[in-house]
Amino acid sequence: MNNIIPSSRKAIIIGAGIGGLTTALFLQRQGWEVVIYEKKRELSEFGAGIVLAANAMHILSELGMAEQVREAGAQVGMAEIRSWDGKPITSVPVSKQAAKYGTYSYLIHRAKLQKILFQQLNEFSTVYLNKKLIAFDQDPHHVIVHFDDGTEDTGHILIGADGIHSQVAHLLFGLKQLRYSGFKAFRGITSFLDKRYMPEIGGGFEAWGRGRRFGFSQLGEGQVFWFAAINADSGTVVDCKKDYVLQQFEGWHNPIERAIQSTDEMAILTHDIHDRIPLERWSQGRVTLLGDAAHPMLPNLGQGGAQTMEDALVVARCLEGISILSLRSVTAALQSYERNRIARTNQVVRQSRRMARIVQMSNPAAIMLRNQVLRVVPDEVQMKQLDWLLGYRV
């Protein structure tokens, strides 16, 4: 075991996704040496499009990266909600929200966002790939991490930003069972043009049916991103993804079937969607959790990335100026981070699950009532309902 205590402030981060990289960028600004370990062999994000709402864009602005994201992604200039046959239900007042919060939301490919973040790392930050964490030890002065290839490293803090199946969370608190959402997600990216949803406007629509939902939005650089959320038993196996999705949305309004048809089978991702009952705490000694490792949430509010970024900024602020060799100082900083974040992220987890019940309804009478209510909700009410989420400033 390496018992050498680093002379500088050193943070070890597990996970080189959006949360790990954003945290590294904030910590390196404070002069921390940051070492990121990623279990994948390549620096790439699974998934497809990610929505960055106003609260996320403000954090990117703090990093001086908001303009890069705007250029690489697509402004959400339209957000319609329709029934399966194309009848209008409601629309999100995106221009009014942009005027209120000072920015539109943007949709960007996860891999592009990850690349933008990675390129901002400086000489104080290093990323190692193909490194799978198996254990960690800590004493009053430092934390030591152990990997499956027999290597180890020593730092002053350890941050688990390693996603919904977090090994750091498992080592801290044991295996916590995930909760199945009741629906399976399919995601695709394709080059596709429809005159009703032009790239220069951005955004798109969601279509809601019985236990099924389809979303379509501009992704930037001539591509569109679509998703399908389909009620299904956990573990349902789909052999031919494209045929299955086409079957589920047969007869739905344009351009749904055409967008699916234009997508290569290999470009369609699918998985069951889960969250987890919120943890009561995220930290122990010099170790803490962040993002999906701490609070995995269903994607129905589009806040997974934004909440991870908020975590990153808050944990960095709490760690600024601490006495790194004092366990009491480190513990107090991480407890302050928890107090600042847990109530908010738990609320987002709960609201995302409630939203799932609304958008994935299968009862025809309940669907009719839901649509009738949404059609008469004024823009001002919509904005007020989401202000706690989008208007939040860390």
Side-chain angles (χ1 to χ4, degrees):
M1 182 178 292
N2 177 11
N3 290 317
I4 299 174
I5 301 174
S7 58
S8 62
R9 294 184 296 169
K10 181 176 178 180
I12 296 174
I13 298 175
I14 305 299
I18 293 168
L21 292 171
T22 306
T23 306
L25 293 176
F26 280 119
L27 289 178
Q28 73 181 19
R29 282 182 159 197
Q30 299 174 12
W32 285 79
E33 175 190 356
V34 183
V35 183
I36 305 174
Y37 291 100
E38 169 58 52
K39 67 181 179 181
K40 297 177 189 173
R41 295 180 180 271
E42 297 179 355
L43 190 65
S44 62
E45 273 280 12
F46 290 117
I50 179 172
V51 177
L52 299 172
N55 53 326
M57 293 303 297
H58 289 312
I59 292 174
L60 289 167
S61 292
E62 289 218 18
L63 288 171
M65 297 163 53
E67 194 55 40
Q68 285 180 268
V69 169
R70 292 187 179 101
E71 292 176 358
Q75 176 180 296
V76 181
M78 175 189 299
E80 300 176 337
I81 299 176
R82 296 178 175 271
S83 61
W84 70 273
D85 55 359
K87 295 176 182 176
I89 297 175
T90 187
S91 61
V92 180
V94 292
S95 59
K96 292 180 181 179
Q97 288 177 335
K100 182 174 182 178
Y101 302 127
T103 179
Y104 279 88
S105 298
Y106 284 80
L107 190 73
I108 187 172
H109 195 294
R110 283 180 175 270
K112 289 182 183 178
L113 176 59
Q114 185 185 42
K115 183 178 180 180
I116 290 170
L117 295 168
F118 175 77
Q119 290 175 338
Q120 299 302 313
L121 296 177
N122 63 21
E123 67 273 17
F124 297 108
S125 300
T126 308
V127 177
Y128 293 100
L129 303 176
N130 196 26
K131 303 288 285 188
K132 184 178 180 181
L133 179 74
I134 58 171
F136 65 79
D137 305 302
Q138 56 177 321
D139 63 26
H141 301 295
H142 61 290
V143 58
I144 303 169
V145 291
H146 307 271
F147 300 95
D148 66 346
D149 60 2
T151 60
E152 58 188 37
D153 196 4
T154 303
H156 295 105
I157 59 168
L158 170 62
I159 298 175
D162 48 342
I164 190 170
H165 301 292
S166 169
Q167 175 70 352
V168 180
H170 173 63
L171 294 171
L172 274 177
F173 303 118
L175 189 63
K176 300 296 182 181
Q177 187 173 2
L178 298 175
R179 298 186 297 184
Y180 181 50
S181 64
F183 63 90
K184 197 174 188 70
F186 297 79
R187 296 182 171 97
I189 292 175
T190 183
S191 297
F192 182 84
L193 183 64
D194 186 285
K195 292 182 178 180
R196 289 163 294 188
Y197 303 98
M198 296 301 289
E200 54 267 27
I201 298 174
F205 68 89
E206 285 192 16
W208 296 355
R210 293 183 59 184
R212 286 166 290 170
R213 180 169 46 121
F214 187 91
F216 172 102
S217 190
Q218 296 292 333
L219 189 58
E221 299 183 353
Q223 293 183 312
V224 298
F225 164 66
W226 61 260
F227 74 85
I230 302 169
N231 290 1
D233 293 334
S234 178
T236 298
V237 177
V238 175
D239 293 326
C240 185
K241 295 173 288 187
K242 186 171 178 176
D243 286 348
Y244 177 79
V245 177
L246 281 169
Q247 181 184 27
Q248 293 292 318
F249 294 93
E250 182 178 1
W252 284 45
H253 73 83
N254 285 325
I256 293 173
E257 290 183 83
R258 292 193 294 115
I260 300 167
Q261 285 281 16
S262 73
T263 309
D264 185 272
E265 170 82 18
M266 299 302 294
I268 300 175
L269 305 175
T270 181
H271 53 275
D272 292 348
I273 301 298
H274 296 86
D275 67 359
R276 186 177 62 209
I277 296 174
L279 297 171
E280 294 181 358
R281 60 193 180 107
W282 300 345
S283 308
Q284 190 176 94
R286 294 177 174 270
V287 184
T288 195
L289 303 173
L290 180 146
D292 281 350
H295 47 72
M297 56 189 61
L298 303 183
N300 302 296
L301 292 177
Q303 278 287 309
Q307 294 306 307
T308 298
M309 291 180 177
E310 288 184 8
D311 288 349
L313 177 52
V314 172
V315 75
R317 285 180 176 173
C318 291
L319 289 168
E320 188 170 11
I322 66 168
S323 174
I324 55 175
L325 295 182
S326 166
L327 178 60
R328 179 177 295 180
S329 180
V330 173
T331 299
L334 296 182
Q335 288 176 346
S336 176
Y337 159 61
E338 285 186 15
R339 287 194 302 271
N340 190 295
R341 295 296 301 154
I342 283 183
R344 176 166 168 79
T345 57
N346 286 357
Q347 185 179 5
V348 181
V349 171
R350 290 191 297 268
Q351 289 293 94
S352 296
R353 184 159 277 268
R354 290 191 189 107
M355 183 62 71
R357 291 194 291 268
I358 293 172
V359 298
Q360 296 293 139
M361 284 180 176
S362 58
N363 181 280
I367 290 172
M368 183 180 296
L369 178 61
R370 176 199 67 192
N371 293 354
Q372 288 175 346
V373 170
L374 289 176
R375 285 189 178 104
V376 298
V377 175
D379 289 351
E380 291 70 23
V381 173
Q382 280 197 54
M383 293 176 64
K384 185 176 181 180
Q385 290 174 338
L386 291 173
D387 188 60
W388 68 276
L389 196 60
L390 307 182
Y392 184 82
R393 299 292 287 266
V394 176

